[in-house]
Amino acid sequence: MRIALASDHAAVEVRLHLAEWLCERGCEAVDLGCEPGQRVDYPDYAEAVARAVVTGDVARGVLICGTGIGMSIAANKVAGIRAALVHDVTTARLAAAHNHANILCLGGRVLGIVTMEEILAAWLETGFEARHQGRLDKVTALEQSN
Ligand code: RB5
């Protein structure tokens, strides 16, 4: 699976680690920055990953900032994105099963690295439950009503 990752300056080391972790598990990690040593604005990186997902360039995206909050707010402004900010394995699993989240947002300053690995694994390994499709259709209709 081809997965785009990006972070702001608050989570560069975390992102590099998770990119490598994904590669070790057979995924193709597409690293969209930021560069180490930069100070950047998270919406720019959220947009880059969100566009890569909605155009189909990648199957899914991972966004990491200090809390994950800014990335999730920004990514969800792009039509077609269902970005989920998760803090544990249970919410990661449910983000996949119920919300069909196509972007996972993580807080690099608030979670430990092992927890983030476990979250990523749960999100990648859990399938969407089609019984939730009607609710997602309503989310899409809401998006299109803007
Ligand atoms: C950057 O200092 C910080 O605000 C950002 O990483 C993120 O936590 C925003 O939601």
Side-chain angles (χ1 to χ4, degrees), residues 4 30 32 46-60 78 81:
V30 179
L32 299 182
E47 180 181 9
V49 168
R51 301 261 179 240
V53 171
V54 295
T55 59
D57 182 35
V58 296
R60 296 186 189 202
V78 176
I81 290 302

Side-chain angles (χ1 to χ4, degrees), residues 123-136:
W123 177 60
L124 291 171
E125 288 163 12
T126 304
F128 175 58
E129 295 173 11
R131 65 194 168 96
H132 293 281
Q133 186 58 51
R135 292 163 188 141
L136 295 190

Side-chain angles (χ1 to χ4, degrees), residues 8-10 39 42 65-71 109:
D8 70 0
H9 49 275
R39 284 194 75 79
Y42 59 79
C65 61
T67 59
I69 296 170
M71 287 295 197
R109 288 179 173 156

